[in-house]
Amino acid sequence: MGIEEYGGGQGPQADVLVVTTNDVPGYRVREVIGEVFGLTVRSRHLGSQIGAGLKSMVGGELRGLTKTLVQTRNQAMDRLVDQARARGANAVLAFRFDVTEAAGAGTEVCAYGTAVILDAILDKE
């Protein structure tokens, strides 16, 4: 598996900037739209559970589960961006993930943050 299967995040030309910080250098917040989130719940299929159980006996990375979690987080983030865009935002500040077990049926992944409209600060030289 290549590196692209183990990571996520935005590409360089994203129309909605998503950052973990509370501000963005060179920009000011013109308007706070409010909280946005993207949510998904995934269950593991039987084959991956059996493979994970066997792997846990000998140790090592559970590659199938790692790949599934990356896909799940990326899906939650995509939904967050879609919601922010639909509400007129061009950025999401204080971006975070929350991961919990969903009633024993799967894993809930929630991507959340604050949707805002950013304006570039023009240098006055």
Side-chain angles (χ1 to χ4, degrees), residues 24-30 90 117-124:
V24 178
Y27 292 85
R28 70 173 180 84
V29 174
R30 176 175 19 122
N90 65 358
I117 297 175
L118 293 180
D119 287 331
I121 299 171
L122 302 176
D123 288 335
K124 296 180 180 182

Side-chain angles (χ1 to χ4, degrees), residues 99-113:
V99 180
T100 58
E101 285 296 314
T107 302
E108 172 191 338
V109 176
C110 182
Y112 64 95

Side-chain angles (χ1 to χ4, degrees), residues 32-43:
V32 174
I33 295 172
E35 179 189 12
V36 289
F37 66 90
L39 181 69
T40 185
V41 178
R42 293 272 180 108
S43 64

Side-chain angles (χ1 to χ4, degrees), residues 40-46 48-49 65 68 72 102 104-108:
T40 185
V41 178
R42 293 272 180 108
S43 64
R44 291 181 230 134
H45 61 78
L46 183 59
S48 73
Q49 288 178 332
L65 293 178
T68 298
T72 303
T107 302
E108 172 191 338

Side-chain angles (χ1 to χ4, degrees), residues 13-105:
Q13 302 300 321
D15 63 325
V16 176
L17 178 66
V18 178
V19 297
T20 59
T21 57
N22 294 325
D23 54 17
V24 178
Y27 292 85
R28 70 173 180 84
V29 174
R30 176 175 19 122
E31 182 181 343
V32 174
I33 295 172
E35 179 189 12
V36 289
F37 66 90
L39 181 69
T40 185
V41 178
R42 293 272 180 108
S43 64
R44 291 181 230 134
H45 61 78
L46 183 59
S48 73
Q49 288 178 332
I50 292 170
L54 294 172
K55 186 71 169 190
S56 68
M57 288 185 221
V58 295
E61 181 181 13
L62 305 173
R63 288 180 179 227
L65 293 178
T66 299
K67 185 177 178 182
T68 298
L69 186 54
V70 167
Q71 292 169 344
T72 303
R73 289 176 79 136
N74 287 340
Q75 183 178 44
M77 186 172 178
D78 289 345
R79 290 177 177 176
L80 164 98
V81 169
D82 289 345
Q83 187 182 72
R85 184 183 300 113
R87 294 181 64 192
N90 65 358
V92 175
L93 304 180
F95 168 72
R96 303 286 187 272
F97 281 112
D98 184 47
V99 180
T100 58
E101 285 296 314

